[in-house]
């Protein structure tokens, strides 16, 4: 039996390639991000009952599905209908494309990530409001591959918690390695540029450095997207498992 009380870097789920923890990172506040607090994942439509039970035992209470309606129609998340967690669909997309991996829209990965950060919708505010108001327990967020939209949200959360730049980058970089079941798509679909499948450090760095150059911090970026300071502080405290954190 898989022990759901342990701290797993990548969760031992047979039906998910890329479901993993944001816990265990050191932060500039001298603390560690909490285990069993945030999970990032790829498509969950093939979730088995055994893996479903594991996630329940792991403490999962909230799902944030970042995909568009067209994606969900084809690949439903079975946890949308269970009673042990709350499911929220908040599309995190741009006007041009919902998932760049499956698009013929030509843009560099770094520019696509900046498009996500600067989209005109209020999706960033909605996502962070849901996180702040979520029931005590683990929050899982996912898109299709668990690389692009999920990667940007993971970057924002880790940055908010004060995780070092190199750890934020390495959290992103391991994604391609985990997505073994999708590697064949590059060779089988000529419409998918090879670089779209990779999780090259330069892709996420472009987004991270854009935020710092444009807004000076993750906090200030979120405030510019109408996320209030109280919500930001709540999420930081939730992620670090402490009382009030003073940001200098």
């Amino acid at each position: 039996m898989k022990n759901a009380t342990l701290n797993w870097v990548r969760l031992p789920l047979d039906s998910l390639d890329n479901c993993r923890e944001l816990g265990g990172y050191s932060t500039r506040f001298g603390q560690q991000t909490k285990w069993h607090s945030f999970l990032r994942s790829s498509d969950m439509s093939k979730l088995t009952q055994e893996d479903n039970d594991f996630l329940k035992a792991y403490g999962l209470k909230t799902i944030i599905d970042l995909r568009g309606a067209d994606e969900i129609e084809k690949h439903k998340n079975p946890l949308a209908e269970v009673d042990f967690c709350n499911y929220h669909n908040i599309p995190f997309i741009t006007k041009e494309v919902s998932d760049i991996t499956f698009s013929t829209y030509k843009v560099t990965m770094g520019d696509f990530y900046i498009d996500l950060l600067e989209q005109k919708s209020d999706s960033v505010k909605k996502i962070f409001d849901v996180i702040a108001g979520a029931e005590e327990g683990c929050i899982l967020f996912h898109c299709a591959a668990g690389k692009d939209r999920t990667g940007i949200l993971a970057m924002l959360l880790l940055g908010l918690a004060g995780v070092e730049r190199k750890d934020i980058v390495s959290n992103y970089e391991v994604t391609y390695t985990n997505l073994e079941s999708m590697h064949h798509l590059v060779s089988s679909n000529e419409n998918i540029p090879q670089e779209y499948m990779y999780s090259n450090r330069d892709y996420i760095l472009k987004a991270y450095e854009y935020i710092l150059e444009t807004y000076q911090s993750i906090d200030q970026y979120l405030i510019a997207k109408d996320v209030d300071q109280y919500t930001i502080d709540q999420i930081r405290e939730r992620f670090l498992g402490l009382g009030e954190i003073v940001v200098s």
Side-chain angles (χ1 to χ4, degrees), residues 44-97:
M44 305 181 73
S45 61
K46 296 180 181 178
L47 194 69
T48 64
Q49 185 59 51
E50 180 183 1
D51 290 344
N52 182 320
D53 294 342
F54 181 89
L55 287 168
K56 180 179 180 180
Y58 201 78
L60 182 62
K61 292 296 183 183
T62 303
I63 299 278
I64 301 177
D65 190 336
L66 303 173
R67 299 174 300 159
D70 56 333
E71 298 171 278
I72 293 173
E73 185 177 354
K74 294 177 182 176
H75 302 286
K76 292 181 173 61
N77 185 332
L79 294 183
E81 300 176 355
V82 300
D83 59 5
F84 67 82
C85 67
N86 297 307
Y87 173 87
H88 303 268
N89 174 219
I90 308 174
F92 190 30
I93 58 179
T94 68
K95 179 180 178 182
E96 292 82 6
V97 59

Side-chain angles (χ1 to χ4, degrees), residues 180-230:
E180 288 183 341
S181 67
M182 296 183 69
H183 290 180
H184 71 283
L185 292 175
V186 173
S187 57
S188 64
N189 190 333
E190 61 183 16
N191 289 328
I192 303 177
Q194 191 168 5
E195 62 269 22
Y196 283 11
M197 294 300 297
Y198 294 149
S199 50
N200 187 300
R201 64 180 280 112
D202 292 338
Y203 304 162
I204 200 69
L205 272 173
K206 186 164 187 177
Y208 182 79
E209 291 172 353
Y210 171 82
I211 287 179
L212 296 188
E213 291 169 4
T214 308
Y215 299 96
Q216 286 69 60
S217 70
I218 301 290
D219 284 46
Q220 289 303 313
Y221 163 77
L222 292 172
I223 288 171
K225 300 305 173 185
D226 296 324
V227 181
D228 63 63
Q229 188 64 56
Y230 178 71

Side-chain angles (χ1 to χ4, degrees), residues 78-126:
L79 294 183
E81 300 176 355
V82 300
D83 59 5
F84 67 82
C85 67
N86 297 307
Y87 173 87
H88 303 268
N89 174 219
I90 308 174
F92 190 30
I93 58 179
T94 68
K95 179 180 178 182
E96 292 82 6
V97 59
S98 57
D99 187 347
I100 197 170
T101 308
F102 297 98
S103 172
T104 58
Y105 176 64
K106 298 298 189 290
V107 64
T108 67
M109 293 302 303
D111 287 337
F112 172 64
Y113 292 167
I114 292 172
D115 284 349
L116 279 176
L117 290 167
E118 296 292 14
Q119 61 185 285
K120 300 300 183 183
S121 75
D122 60 352
S123 56
V124 171
K125 174 176 170 53
K126 287 180 178 178

